Amino acid sequence: MTTTQATSRTTARTRFSFLRAALALQTLTIFVQAVSAGLLFSTEYGGLLHDVGARVMYGASMLYLLAAVLAWKPGGGSPRAVWYASGFLVLASVQVVAGIAHLSPVHVPLGVLMFGASLVALARR
């Protein structure tokens, strides 16, 4: 194996670990949103936590998409991760809109679906 091949594989592993870290961050932020939703009903600062958490969760979804693109295009990975990450970003967008519109019958089940799907995607990585 030449040095170029070894460097290429190390770079690909680094990008794939960045992808896994971004996915783990997304999963964690979705879980924190569930916790802050519970605090929304029991404390006076729960609404603020849930509002800030929504922005962080959306940013984590964008970071996951960026990591998927970086793992795919220059890293030689599968484009499947880009499709998953794009789907999560679409779901996050719908989730934010449903939350702003106070559509709890859509917002709550979608949040549960997003957490489960993110957890499954993380387990597969």
Side-chain angles (χ1 to χ4, degrees):
M1 179 186 310
T2 65
T3 307
T4 307
Q5 289 174 334
T7 305
S8 175
R9 288 186 181 175
T10 304
T11 304
R13 282 189 200 132
T14 303
R15 288 203 177 102
F16 282 115
S17 62
F18 175 55
L19 178 63
R20 185 170 170 81
L23 182 54
L25 178 66
Q26 175 185 275
T27 305
L28 178 66
T29 59
I30 294 170
F31 177 74
V32 168
Q33 279 302 92
V35 171
S36 69
L39 292 173
L40 183 69
F41 298 114
S42 60
T43 64
E44 61 186 46
Y45 58 86
L48 178 63
L49 282 176
H50 198 66
D51 186 45
V52 170
R55 288 171 171 77
V56 174
M57 183 273 304
Y58 198 77
S61 294
M62 287 190 281
L63 181 68
Y64 176 40
L65 180 58
L66 174 67
V69 169
L70 290 176
W72 166 55
K73 205 59 171 166
S78 170
R80 185 181 310 170
V82 175
W83 288 107
Y84 286 149
S86 298
F88 276 112
L89 190 58
V90 167
L91 288 175
S93 299
V94 172
Q95 181 72 336
V96 168
V97 169
I100 290 171
H102 300 286
L103 297 173
S104 295
V106 175
H107 187 69
V108 173
L110 185 57
V112 172
L113 173 72
M114 286 177 64
F115 178 68
S118 192
L119 201 58
V120 167
L122 183 60
R124 287 184 173 184
R125 282 264 146 225

